[in-house]
Amino acid sequence: MRVIRATDYDDMCRKAANILSAQVILKPNSVLGLATGSTPLGVYKLLAEWYAEGDMDFSETASINLDEYVGLAPDNPQSYRYYMYNNFFRHVNIKQENAHLPNGLAADKTEECARYEAIIRSYNGIDMQLLGIGHNGHIGFNEPGTAFEKDTHCVSLTESTIRANRRFFDNESDVPRFAYTMGIRTIMQARHIVLIASGVGKAEILRESFTGPMTPQVPASILQLHSNVVLVGDEEALSRLQRE
Ligand code: F6R
């Protein structure tokens, strides 16, 4: 694993965006695995700016997102499709037919998981997967205890996640109970992984994930086995990882 130390959030975003842009420049038809959440927002903003300045071209690029809530329509502001569209896709020239997320409205969850894995295979896999990390070590929606062998699957959200999401919805009954997520095996098959983390709140879980035992209780710990992982973190996030 390579660790790239950034001074702060903005610096972390610039470094991660540089890595993703280099990937796309070197291989215009790259398949990018993308994440939502607060950490990548600055990365998408920079890539959009560089596109606007004429430095980037996503016309041949494909993207395959990590996860999506079950039951949310693409125009629901809480859906990950909506997040991706508003924060990235609509600002660049990626073709909509090449920008993939699980379909939150699919009638059959098992079929939807199989369809998503088939999309990934149809592109011959993911060239570069961008990941954030949860405070409990989750990657995608793979919460502690998830088997490392899983492909894309449907998870029931924990009570604490449902409670945390409650504030975004008018009614408790609107809060999604399930989500689709790439599995750990899907993530591990990406050729390169770029994990981004910012803030002191991620420091302890990064230490556990990269210096502790590999265990399903800390899903990100499996990344120790991947041969091409770059961790881009700011000073605070990396404060508990020793400098090599
Ligand atoms: C997002 C995802 C999640 C987040 C993680 C960190 O698609 O799969 O695993 O990456 O929850 O979220 P933030 O960046 O908000 O701290």
Side-chain angles (χ1 to χ4, degrees):
M1 181 189 57
R2 300 207 39 208
V3 180
I4 298 185
R5 290 183 176 263
T7 47
D8 54 17
Y9 177 76
D10 289 346
D11 189 32
M12 180 213 73
C13 290
R14 204 162 43 245
K15 287 178 161 60
N18 268 303
I19 294 170
L20 287 166
S21 71
Q23 170 70 35
V24 172
I25 290 166
L26 288 168
K27 186 182 177 208
N29 64 347
S30 285
V31 181
L32 302 178
L34 296 179
T36 57
S38 50
T39 316
L41 283 171
V43 177
Y44 296 140
K45 191 160 178 281
L46 280 172
L47 291 175
E49 279 172 23
W50 295 342
Y51 167 73
E53 288 161 9
D55 289 335
M56 296 293 309
D57 175 13
F58 295 95
S59 60
E60 292 178 49
T61 308
S63 70
I64 306 186
N65 262 77
L66 278 168
D67 40 17
E68 177 60 288
Y69 289 116
V70 169
L72 297 194
D75 60 352
N76 184 313
Q78 302 309 327
S79 76
Y80 287 172
R81 164 72 71 180
Y82 186 95
Y83 167 112
M84 288 307 300
Y85 179 73
N86 272 291
N87 292 303
F88 188 48
F89 299 154
R90 78 183 171 97
H91 303 291
V92 299
N93 65 337
I94 192 164
K95 294 191 179 109
Q96 285 308 303
E97 65 267 29
N98 285 336
H100 302 279
L101 283 94
N103 173 9
L105 297 183
D108 184 311
K109 297 192 189 74
T110 311
E111 273 176 23
E112 178 55 13
C113 294
R115 182 191 74 87
Y116 208 61
E117 280 293 320
I119 290 174
I120 299 171
R121 277 197 305 277
S122 75
Y123 282 104
N124 194 26
I126 293 170
D127 290 305
M128 183 169 276
Q129 176 69 54
L130 181 66
L131 289 180
I133 183 170
H135 292 101
N136 59 4
H138 73 223
I139 47 179
F141 266 119
N142 296 287
E143 297 291 349
T146 310
F148 285 151
E149 299 81 22
K150 288 221 179 219
D151 295 326
T152 297
H153 60 292
C154 185
V155 293
S156 33
L157 301 180
T158 59
E159 274 309 314
S160 67
T161 304
I162 294 169
R163 264 199 313 279
N165 286 344
R166 171 72 184 86
R167 66 187 190 282
F168 300 119
F169 294 85
D170 293 338
N171 302 303
E172 171 114 35
S173 57
D174 296 338
V175 185
R177 287 340 202 220
F178 297 93
Y180 294 111
T181 182
M182 282 184 196
I184 301 277
R185 180 160 60 190
T186 325
I187 293 170
M188 287 295 282
Q189 283 167 349
R191 287 183 271 280
H192 294 87
I193 291 181
V194 180
L195 186 125
I196 53 175
S198 169
V200 71
K202 298 287 169 74
E204 179 54 23
I205 195 61
L206 286 179
R207 189 191 64 73
E208 274 181 52
S209 301
F210 291 104
T211 66
M214 238 178 303
T215 161
Q217 291 315 316
V218 182
S221 64
I222 189 73
L223 298 175
Q224 294 178 36
L225 280 186
H226 196 286
S227 51
N228 258 313
V229 177
V230 179
L231 165 61
V232 188
D234 61 15
E235 287 293 349
E236 289 189 355
L238 299 182
S239 56
R240 294 197 189 151
L241 280 180
Q242 283 183 351
R243 285 173 187 274
E244 302 90 318

